[in-house]
């Protein structure tokens, strides 16, 4: 105030004459200030409402501030109306001064849902989300709020990149518009954590009970697309089903509602139509349900053609097809499969033909058949195994971690010392370049998709990032308080992840560091970490025998699966499906769908197998290589649990690490005895892939392998493969595009 204003105030106080105030502006100032003070002194609910209106709408900033201050003082003095009005002001106007007044005075909304919404708007998202049932309370508050408050909440959610929650509340407001379900059904549902899934299912349940068919369609789609058991349970409870006739038949069939299925698809034409148009994964699921339930009547070949391409057939499919053809004594069709099936399968087919006493109808085929029988018998007497590995030299320390560069041009080997070495591929030349890390031993490695940065972790509980153009340290990142046992870099190369014995999973900015989020699954120690092929999920295993699935974007826990009795010692992911393979001290291998949380398979390892120390999934075929504490390497089919190779015993002590090249050609293993071995998988692939999938140069390649100094075991199998490839080349035109009806499905040649 000016000196003139102060003198005028003194005259006014001494004379009580309003004319002494002089200027209109001073009179207005005193009137507004007095009005605020009078309303504050009155303290009635009506006075609180008037002050709130002044704080929001008064055109004079000083008066708005005075009204807000008065409300804050009244709230601190215990006025419940003032507390409610302050929160209402913030929710509607989102003014930072109001939030500051609430926070400074430590005010709390009497409604926990409103208090949670205030925390959502004012706290860092990670801090807010750590509160129990935070999304549940926020959703409830949002749905009962005025549109202006909903808009503020939606804007904050957009700023925090909480698209899944936005999808859910949008659906809650517009349940009968099918298009609002598209985002969450097409790609969003697998990324939802357990709380958001529960909220979404509750929203769908609410609308289904009110008669919303789009909500029922969406609920059924969660089960059909993602094999989600919670969605199925909810649908069965509410007796919800899709409106589309094809999806309805499929839903009833896969959910085992046989009476309902028979009513809508008594002649199986709908299911057959779905199967014909289905993806390979859905076809396998339909067939699995048929086998498990015994409902195979729709598989009658007379019903409809159900062609499956050779590339879709798993080992179990080959077994089913051969068994069906053998039971019906369709030897001619079995003979056709000889030229297209994996050689390991065609030898079994030959055994079936021999037992049937079948002979080809023409002389030329009989000669070839006799030759194959002889070669096949030799293969059966000579079990397939890998050739002796190449022993890589040049290292002075034991190799404790292995990784192939993404293009497959070189191998990276971390040692129990501080050195990280490189080997050229395919010549296995030891490179002069070396990275000397500031820690030892090097326990885990990760490289970005461009092959420009290498992340390494060892004994100092830190992550060290190196540039691969100059082999220099770029950044050391600290935060973990115990050994780091897993590293992964996101596909977009913006984030990398770490997990370790301190029981935490952490996300960091790549490559500069800066923690983005941290989560703790509750395991005493985390033993493994992998990132899904799509980059949206993280999978970890721990010492308490649980497999956890996390949203990579926010660290929200999606699944907690009790996988093993005791610690999980190894983890591998399929590169082509949402499947994780785990091995534990309980002597079992388990296979999981980490997107749906379902167990796919589990089997006990033979007693002569040691405890798993590492697992690696082959990139092109259904095979998992396992190293154990006895120095053995075994290979298993995760679909049926069959051993694909005899145990490889070239190492004398526990296996420490294993890696497969991106093209699947090489397996490299290291052990505590200091050995580093490179295994050539070329013949393994030749004998376990459908021959139709082999490149045109396969014939000449097999010939060159035979011409080389090959091991007798390799020679037996190569000779068998060579004769079939020659026959394929000779009769390729005759094979054409024939279809073989094989019981459950038709095989498209």
């Amino acid at each position: 105030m000016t000196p003139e204003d102060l003198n005028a105030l003194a005259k006014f106080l001494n004379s009580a004459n309003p004319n002494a105030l002089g200027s209109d502006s001073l009179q207005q100032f005193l009137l507004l200030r007095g009005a605020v003070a009078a309303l504050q002194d009155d303290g009635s609910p009506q006075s609180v409402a008037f002050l709130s209106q002044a704080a929001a709408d008064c055109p004079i900033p000083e008066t708005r501030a005075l009204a807000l201050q008065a409300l804050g003082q009244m709230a601190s003095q215990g006025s419940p109306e003032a507390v409610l009005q302050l929160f209402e002001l913030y929710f509607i106007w989102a003014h930072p001064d109001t939030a500051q007044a609430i926070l400074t005075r430590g005010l709390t909304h009497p409604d926990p849902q409103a208090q949670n919404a205030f925390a959502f708007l004012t706290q860092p998202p990670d801090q807010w989300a750590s509160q129990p049932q935070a999304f549940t309370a926020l959703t409830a508050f949002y749905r009962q709020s005025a549109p202006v408050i909903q808009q503020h909440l939606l804007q904050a959610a957009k700023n925090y990149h909480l698209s899944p929650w936005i999808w859910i509340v949008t659906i809650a407001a517009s349940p009968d518009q099918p298009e609002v379900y598209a985002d969450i059904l097409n790609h969003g549902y697998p990324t939802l954590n357990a709380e958001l899934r529960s909220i979404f299912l509750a929203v769908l349940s609410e609308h289904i009970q009110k008669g919303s068919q789009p909500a029922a369609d969406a609920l059924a789609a969660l089960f059909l697309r993602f094999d989600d058991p919670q969605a199925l349970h909810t649908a069965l409870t509410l007796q919800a089903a899709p409106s589309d006739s094809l999806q309805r038949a499929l839903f009833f069939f896969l959910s085992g509602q046989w009476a309902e299925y028979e009513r809508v698809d008594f002649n199986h034409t709908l299911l057959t139509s779905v199967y014909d148009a289905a993806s390979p994964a859905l076809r396998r699921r339909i067939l699995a349900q048929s086998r498990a339930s015994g409902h195979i009547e729709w598989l009658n070949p007379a019903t409809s053609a159900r062609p499956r391409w050779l590339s879709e057939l798993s080992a179990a499919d080959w077994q089913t097809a051969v068994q069906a053809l053998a039971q019906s004594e369709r030897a001619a069709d079995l003979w056709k499969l000889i030229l297209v099936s994996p050689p390991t399968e065609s030898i079994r087919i030959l055994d079936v033909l021999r037992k049937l006493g079948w002979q080809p109808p023409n002389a030329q085929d009989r000669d070839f058949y006799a030759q194959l029988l002889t070669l096949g018998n030799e293969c059966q007497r000579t079990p397939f195994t890998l050739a002796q590995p190449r022993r890589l030299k040049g290292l002075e320390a034991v190799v404790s971690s292995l990784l192939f560069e993404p293009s497959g041009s070189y191998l990276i080997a971390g040692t129990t010392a501080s050195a990280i070495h490189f080997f050229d591929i395919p010549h296995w030349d030891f490179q002069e370049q070396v990275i000397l890390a500031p820690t030892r031993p090097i326990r885990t490695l990760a490289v970005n998709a461009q092959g420009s940065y290498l992340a390494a972790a060892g004994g100092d509980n830190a992550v060290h990032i190196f540039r691969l153009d100059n082999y220099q340290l770029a950044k050391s990142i600290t935060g973990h308080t115990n050994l780091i046992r897993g590293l992964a870099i996101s596909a977009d190369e913006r984030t990398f992840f770490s997990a370790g014995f301190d029981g935490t999973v952490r996300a960091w900015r790549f490559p500069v560091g800066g923690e983005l989020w941290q989560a703790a699954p509750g395991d005493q120690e985390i033993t493994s970490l992998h990132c899904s092929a799509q980059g949206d999920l993280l999978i970890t295993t721990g010492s308490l025998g649980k497999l956890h699935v996390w949203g990579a974007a926010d660290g929200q826990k999606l699944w907690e699966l009790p996988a093993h009795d005791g610690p999980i010692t190894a983890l591998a992911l399929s590169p082509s499906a949402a499947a994780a393979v785990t091995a534990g001290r309980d002597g079992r291998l388990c296979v999981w769908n980490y997107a749906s949380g379902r167990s796919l398979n589990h089997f006990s390892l033979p007693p002569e197998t040691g405890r798993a120390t590492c697992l690696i999934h082959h990139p092109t075929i259904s095979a998992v290589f396992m190293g154990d504490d006895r120095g053995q390497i075994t290979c298993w089919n995760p679909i049926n649990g069959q051993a694909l190779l005899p145990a490889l015993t070239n190492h004398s002590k526990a296996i420490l690490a294993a890696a497969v090249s991106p093209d699947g050609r090489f397996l490299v293993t290291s052990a505590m005895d200091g050995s580093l071995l490179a295994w050539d998988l070329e013949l393994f692939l030749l004998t376990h892939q459908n021959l139709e999938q082999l490149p045109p140069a396969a014939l000449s390649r097999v010939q060159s392998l035979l011409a080389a100094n090959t091991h007798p075991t390799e020679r037996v199998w190569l000779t068998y493969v060579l004769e079939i490839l020659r026959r394929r080349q000779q009769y390729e035109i005759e094979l054409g595009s024939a279809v073989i009806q094989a019981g459950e499905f038709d095989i498209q040649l």
Side-chain angles (χ1 to χ4, degrees), residues 296-556:
I296 59 174
E297 61 280 355
W298 72 280
L299 295 169
N300 182 350
T303 304
S304 176
R306 296 170 302 283
R308 297 186 68 185
W309 294 100
L310 290 167
S311 59
E312 300 175 7
L313 301 184
S314 66
D317 294 330
W318 277 111
Q319 184 177 355
T320 299
V322 172
Q323 183 178 0
L325 294 173
Q327 288 176 347
S328 58
E329 298 187 358
R330 291 165 55 196
D333 285 336
L334 285 168
W335 178 240
K336 292 179 182 178
L337 292 180
I338 293 286
L339 298 181
V340 295
S341 61
T344 50
E345 297 295 337
S346 66
I347 286 177
R348 297 188 182 97
I349 296 173
L350 281 173
D351 193 50
V352 171
L353 292 175
R354 181 183 57 78
K355 291 176 181 178
L356 290 175
W358 178 81
Q359 286 290 328
N362 61 69
Q364 187 177 13
D365 282 346
R366 284 195 292 272
D367 292 341
F368 175 57
Y369 176 55
Q371 183 185 20
L372 284 188
L373 284 176
T374 301
L375 293 171
N377 287 335
E378 291 182 23
C379 289
Q380 288 184 316
R381 290 194 301 267
T382 312
F384 179 86
T385 189
L386 297 184
Q388 287 299 305
R390 179 168 183 163
R391 191 172 295 270
L392 304 186
K393 299 179 180 180
L395 301 181
E396 297 180 357
V398 171
V399 172
S400 51
S401 53
L402 288 167
L403 182 69
F404 278 92
E405 184 267 340
S407 69
S409 60
Y410 57 87
L411 172 74
I412 307 171
T415 67
T416 52
S418 61
I420 301 173
H421 294 282
F422 302 85
F423 290 86
D424 174 54
I425 307 296
H427 305 296
W428 304 106
D429 294 330
F430 182 69
Q431 302 296 295
E432 294 182 0
Q433 297 92 342
V434 62
I435 290 176
L436 296 177
T439 182
R440 56 185 299 179
I442 307 300
R443 297 186 178 275
T444 183
L445 299 166
V447 65
N448 66 324
Q450 300 297 321
S452 54
Y453 287 96
L454 173 69
D460 62 354
N461 310 333
V463 181
H464 304 285
I465 309 293
F466 301 92
R467 293 183 61 92
L468 289 177
D469 56 356
N470 59 14
Y471 302 96
Q472 296 300 307
L473 179 66
K475 186 76 174 181
S476 292
I477 300 162
T478 60
H480 283 279
T481 58
N482 208 327
L483 296 178
I484 297 171
R485 295 309 305 267
L487 291 173
I489 300 174
S490 64
D492 63 8
E493 304 189 7
R494 296 180 179 178
T495 311
F496 76 94
F497 309 94
S498 60
F501 280 0
D502 63 359
T504 65
V505 186
R506 302 175 188 237
W508 315 81
R509 290 184 178 87
F510 181 80
V512 297
E515 188 172 303
L516 299 173
W517 55 258
Q518 179 185 146
D523 285 315
Q524 295 172 345
E525 297 174 343
I526 298 176
T527 55
S528 302
L529 166 91
H530 284 283
C531 189
S532 65
Q534 293 75 22
D536 56 342
L537 301 174
L538 296 177
I539 298 88
T540 62
T541 57
S543 59
L544 298 183
K546 296 178 181 179
L547 182 145
H548 290 92
V549 183
W550 311 85
D554 54 10
Q556 293 296 311

Side-chain angles (χ1 to χ4, degrees), residues 588-610:
R588 294 190 306 146
L589 280 183
C590 299
V591 187
W592 308 86
N593 183 320
Y594 55 76
S596 67
R598 283 185 178 271
S599 171
L600 300 178
N601 193 13
H602 60 85
F603 51 92
S604 297
L605 297 168
E608 62 270 18
T609 305

Side-chain angles (χ1 to χ4, degrees), residues 709-728:
N709 221 353
T710 55
H711 188 274
T713 298
E714 291 181 277
R715 181 168 291 278
V716 168
W717 284 86
L718 282 169
T719 303
Y720 177 76
V721 173
L722 177 64
E723 293 307 318
I724 296 180
L725 290 177
R726 282 174 172 170
R727 187 70 168 187
R728 274 187 58 84

